[in-house]
């Protein structure tokens, strides 16, 4: 019997490659029409999202799903380094790190109002304000 979940996870690295390649293509297209400054967000730890933790009846983040986010983020980061190298000094590519910001909020929940994994809206609002505060 074929394990559908295993087959699903085996196809994800190919999908990640396609997604990041498409992001690179679109950034290159924008550069060609005159854009020079870009802010690109990476993925939050998917295994910590309420849709994952609640559906799997978990109290902690799913390591397996977080690894997938990490793979995407590493490839995206490498892609941005390549774009910086080939697009010259006039172009800026800023990576907005949602992954580590998200984990910071979760690991230091008392600083941010005792957030639990199951409070999706509260988590998103708190994450937004955390990022805004760090920017200024």
């Amino acid at each position: 019997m074929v394990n559908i979940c295993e087959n699903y996870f085996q196809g994800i690295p190919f999908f990640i490659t396609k997604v990041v390649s498409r992001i690179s293509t679109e950034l290159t297209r924008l550069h060609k029409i005159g854009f020079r400054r870009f802010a690109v967000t990476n993925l939050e730890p998917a295994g910590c999202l309420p849709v994952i933790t609640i559906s799997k009846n978990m109290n902690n983040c799913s390591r397996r799903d977080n690894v997938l986010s990490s793979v995407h983020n590493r490839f995206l980061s490498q892609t941005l380094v390549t774009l910086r190298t080939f697009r010259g000094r006039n172009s800026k590519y800023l990576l907005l790190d949602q992954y580590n910001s998200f984990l910071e909020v979760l690991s230091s929940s008392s600083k941010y109002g005792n957030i639990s994994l199951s409070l999706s809206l509260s988590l998103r609002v708190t994450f937004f304000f955390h990022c805004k505060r760090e920017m200024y």
Side-chain angles (χ1 to χ4, degrees):
M1 182 153 131
V2 176
N3 185 334
I4 295 171
C5 292
E6 289 304 318
N7 288 341
Y8 169 77
F9 281 106
Q10 288 174 358
I12 288 181
F14 175 75
F15 181 70
I16 289 171
T17 303
K18 296 287 281 179
V19 168
V20 174
S21 294
R22 182 59 186 230
I23 291 169
S24 178
T25 299
E26 294 304 320
L27 290 172
T28 300
R29 188 178 63 80
L30 291 169
H31 186 271
K32 285 180 181 175
I33 62 173
F35 288 81
R36 295 296 180 260
R37 294 189 178 137
F38 304 91
V40 181
T41 61
N42 63 7
L43 292 178
E44 65 277 343
C48 298
L49 295 175
V51 68
I52 299 296
T53 58
I54 291 171
S55 69
K56 294 180 179 179
N57 202 18
M58 300 170 64
N59 290 326
N60 296 312
C61 299
S62 165
R63 273 191 229 158
R64 185 176 197 173
D65 293 305
N66 283 353
V67 166
L68 297 173
S69 293
S70 294
V71 169
H72 173 274
N73 292 344
R74 200 169 343 172
F75 187 45
L76 179 63
S77 182
Q78 292 168 352
T79 299
L80 292 180
V81 168
T82 301
L83 287 171
R84 283 185 200 111
T85 303
F86 291 109
R87 298 293 169 221
R89 292 184 305 196
N90 298 0
S91 299
K92 303 284 183 205
Y93 294 88
L94 176 65
L95 180 64
L96 303 175
D97 187 2
Q98 290 190 95
Y99 190 92
N100 288 309
S101 295
F102 198 102
L103 288 178
E104 163 66 20
V105 170
L106 285 176
S107 67
S108 303
S109 63
S110 62
K111 283 177 23 182
Y112 304 103
N114 290 320
I115 298 165
S116 72
L117 289 175
S118 62
L119 298 174
S120 176
L121 180 58
S122 174
L123 184 60
R124 289 293 181 170
V125 169
T126 304
F127 176 71
F128 173 77
F129 284 110
H130 171 71
C131 291
K132 288 287 267 189
R133 190 174 65 221
E134 294 294 320
M135 289 174 54
Y136 298 106

